[in-house]
Amino acid sequence: MALRHAVLAALLDEELSGYQLAKVFDLGMANFWHALPQQLYAELTRLEKDGLVTGREVVQDTRPNKRLFTVTDAGLVELERFTEAVTKPSAIRDDLLVKVRAADHVGAEALIGQLTERAGFAQAKIDLFEKLLHTMRGGRTEEEFLRYGDRVGPYLTCLRGLAFEQGNRDWCVRAASALRERAACRSRG
Amino acid sequence: MALRHAVLAALLDEELSGYQLAKVFDLGMANFWHALPQQLYAELTRLEKDGLVTGREVVQDTRPNKRLFTVTDAGLVELERFTEAVTKPSAIRDDLLVKVRAADHVGAEALIGQLTERAGFAQAKIDLFEKLLHTMRGGRTEEEFLRYGDRVGPYLTCLRGLAFEQGNRDWCVRAASALRERAACRSRG
DNA sequence: GATGCATAGTCATGAATATGACTAGTCAGT
DNA sequence: ACTGACTAGTCATATTCATGACTATGCATC
């Protein structure tokens, strides 16, 4: 059981349809969880069957009808249980790390290219997360918001996402420059 | 295709048996890739069948015999191809983030407990990675090593692992203290 | 008036990952 | 003499995740 609780957590803040969920899910989880629409639809069906969420049909004239889902009390209990349960630390998986691991045995140019590309990607995420955080805390400072704001959950996860992408960017830049310098030394000597 | 290249990269530095690989794999990938022994054995079999690694039997008298695997030239070519291919950015998955995302709807005590536990775990990893890095660079400074050392690949991935765990620790501590402060405010007012 | 995109969702299938159990011998301790 | 841990590896199965294709309707745009 894994995606279940991520979906439950995503539905806490707002009533969503499967389609809407599919659009906001990845980003709402600050990129710490990813799922395809099909998985989300399937999970919503299961969750409803188990009584952890309820769906209500919303008839629309101009668009296809949709079903909006809300977390039930049983769903909240399940989330509480999940929160108390121990979970093993994050399973991360990144192709780029595998590539860098092999850095001494493959061409440096390709690797530097990938690192640079990823750094750019990370920077875009950073900008996005910073904007999101700014919006969430409104006029307040971070300290104020964390103390007195409501719904700090999404804010905190977003903070982790931001730090992660900063880590990504900084490391990519550093690794790329290290590889460039080595290449320069090699060609000189 | 994913685990394939991680296994190839792990075998670049040293000849390993499936059993040895299973022991060093997770840490060697700086926790950026995780695999169970069964997966690794199966992957080694496939890699050998595809001619990307070769195994040689080593007869042991006191222990069961083992097969040591090395990356072939074809394996190197495949790694090169993989390095040049584009890959989508990391898919991360962390239960703890899901839990924090639901922070405003579940009990704070359980969450603070989990965050504190994770911070401790992260610190242990930090210590480990720092020791590893120190060993790898020998007497040299990081700058020196990155410029003139051989095999900087594992060093660079380890650097990323270190930064990641530092990010984890810092965030866990910060989130836990934020939740504690909120709980205190609530009980007072 | 045909093309393409957005909403809202389903189905089938394959690949990757995780689980638990199981063989079989060696060695250290009690 | 028995227990448990370590080496070295296999088998079967379940769950999860990813892929591509497919149905509809409405709206804008060229």
Side-chain angles (χ1 to χ4, degrees):
Chain A
M1 300 306 157
L3 182 60
R4 313 208 81 188
H5 304 100
V7 170
L8 278 177
L11 287 176
L12 283 174
D13 300 327
E14 37 182 355
E15 210 181 15
L16 291 172
S17 70
Y19 188 80
Q20 292 173 302
L21 180 62
K23 304 212 111 180
V24 303
F25 186 76
D26 284 24
L27 192 63
M29 285 293 166
N31 293 105
F32 274 90
W33 206 283
H34 153 78
L36 296 161
Q38 297 94 319
Q39 289 174 259
L40 295 172
Y41 280 115
E43 199 57 56
L44 282 172
T45 308
R46 267 190 297 261
L47 282 167
E48 193 179 23
K49 194 194 70 194
D50 297 347
L52 304 184
V53 305
T54 38
R56 63 182 185 91
E57 185 91 17
V58 172
V59 181
Q60 302 181 117
D61 44 336
T62 163
R63 282 135 205 282
N65 296 346
K66 60 181 174 183
R67 307 198 61 222
L68 294 181
F69 292 94
T70 330
V71 179
T72 64
D73 290 346
L76 279 175
V77 169
E78 172 59 20
L79 256 181
E80 185 74 41
R81 193 199 59 68
F82 171 69
T83 301
E84 279 159 19
V86 291
T87 36
K88 43 200 151 185
S90 42
I92 307 164
R93 237 155 213 143
D94 195 333
D95 284 352
L96 187 52
L97 269 289
V98 174
K99 293 176 183 182
V100 171
R101 170 79 212 246
D104 308 300
H105 304 264
V106 300
E109 308 79 30
L111 213 44
I112 290 169
Q114 302 265 331
L115 285 164
T116 309
E117 196 187 319
R118 178 65 68 88
F121 185 89
Q123 184 60 55
K125 280 280 170 68
I126 289 168
D127 296 342
L128 189 58
F129 286 144
E130 276 176 345
K131 230 169 259 170
L132 272 174
L133 289 167
H134 187 262
T135 305
M136 279 193 262
R137 67 174 175 260
R140 287 161 291 191
T141 67
E142 190 159 292
E143 287 307 309
E144 270 183 324
F145 175 74
L146 284 178
R147 222 166 286 177
Y148 309 111
D150 48 332
R151 279 190 289 178
V152 294
Y155 193 90
L156 287 171
T157 52
C158 195
L159 269 184
R160 183 70 193 97
L162 175 64
F164 176 71
E165 292 297 349
Q166 284 168 340
N168 254 343
R169 180 199 55 193
D170 295 349
W171 177 79
C172 285
V173 169
R174 179 150 174 60
S177 92
L179 292 176
R180 248 192 304 265
E181 271 192 34
R182 282 170 73 80
C185 288
R186 292 280 159 90
S187 69
R188 271 204 310 271
Chain B
M1 300 306 158
L3 182 60
R4 314 209 81 189
H5 305 101
V7 170
L8 278 178
L11 286 176
L12 283 175
D13 300 327
E14 36 180 357
E15 211 182 15
L16 290 172
S17 70
Y19 187 79
Q20 291 171 303
L21 179 62
K23 304 211 112 179
V24 303
F25 186 75
D26 284 23
L27 191 63
M29 285 295 166
N31 294 105
F32 274 89
W33 207 283
H34 153 78
L36 296 160
Q38 297 93 319
Q39 289 174 258
L40 296 172
Y41 281 116
E43 200 57 57
L44 282 172
T45 307
R46 267 190 297 260
L47 283 168
E48 192 178 24
K49 193 193 70 195
D50 297 346
L52 304 184
V53 304
T54 38
R56 62 181 185 92
E57 185 91 16
V58 172
V59 180
Q60 302 182 118
D61 44 335
T62 162
R63 282 135 207 281
N65 297 346
K66 61 182 174 182
R67 306 199 61 220
L68 294 181
F69 292 93
T70 327
V71 179
T72 64
D73 290 347
L76 279 175
V77 169
E78 171 59 19
L79 256 181
E80 186 73 40
R81 194 200 59 70
F82 172 68
T83 300
E84 278 158 20
V86 291
T87 36
K88 43 201 152 182
S90 43
I92 307 166
R93 244 162 206 136
D94 196 333
D95 284 352
L96 187 52
L97 270 288
V98 174
K99 292 177 183 180
V100 170
R101 169 81 211 248
D104 308 300
H105 304 264
V106 299
E109 309 80 28
L111 213 44
I112 291 168
Q114 302 265 332
L115 285 164
T116 308
E117 197 186 321
R118 179 65 68 90
F121 184 88
Q123 183 60 56
K125 280 280 169 67
I126 290 169
D127 296 343
L128 189 59
F129 287 144
E130 278 176 344
K131 229 168 262 173
L132 273 173
L133 288 167
H134 187 262
T135 305
M136 279 192 264
R137 69 176 172 260
R140 288 160 291 190
T141 68
E142 189 159 293
E143 285 309 307
E144 270 183 325
F145 175 73
L146 284 179
R147 220 165 288 177
Y148 310 110
D150 48 331
R151 278 189 292 179
V152 294
Y155 193 91
L156 287 170
T157 52
C158 195
L159 268 185
R160 183 69 192 99
L162 175 64
F164 176 70
E165 292 298 348
Q166 284 168 342
N168 254 342
R169 181 198 53 193
D170 295 349
W171 176 79
C172 284
V173 168
R174 178 151 175 60
S177 93
L179 291 176
R180 248 193 304 266
E181 271 191 34
R182 283 171 73 79
C185 289
R186 292 278 158 90
S187 69
R188 272 206 308 273

